[in-house]
Amino acid sequence: MARKKPMDGEFIAFNIIYEDGSLSSNRKVPTSALDGLADTAGAKAVIEAQDRDIAERSGRPRGRVKSLERVKRK
């Protein structure tokens, strides 16, 4: 089985839990859009913008973000 490439520092991955209970894993947020590694408010804004774009293209709206957690690198 092929191994995943390690993230190179340009992105930080987040796991997202939506209010309806659905989960979206390893959502990438550019580090340039954040004020430091602990900036969850900035990450939430970027992810909500991504969700709006996805909903617009697919015609299926996503729920509201309930919580997000930074993925720990191995």
Side-chain angles (χ1 to χ4, degrees):
M1 187 159 113
R3 295 185 63 160
K4 290 183 180 180
K5 293 180 184 177
M7 293 178 59
D8 59 0
E10 293 181 28
F11 295 96
I12 297 176
F14 288 88
N15 291 333
I16 313 303
I17 299 175
Y18 293 93
E19 289 182 349
D20 63 359
S22 62
L23 173 70
S24 182
S25 300
N26 295 321
R27 294 283 299 270
K28 293 180 182 178
V29 175
T31 55
S32 60
L34 303 176
D35 279 339
L37 298 176
D39 183 19
T40 57
K44 184 176 179 181
V46 170
I47 289 169
E48 287 174 341
Q50 291 173 351
D51 284 347
R52 282 191 298 275
D53 185 44
I54 292 167
E56 185 177 301
R57 291 177 186 209
S58 69
R60 297 176 56 199
R62 294 295 304 240
R64 295 181 59 193
V65 173
K66 180 178 179 182
S67 67
L68 56 109
E69 177 182 286
R70 184 171 174 222
V71 175
K72 294 174 178 54
R73 296 177 77 176
K74 292 183 180 180

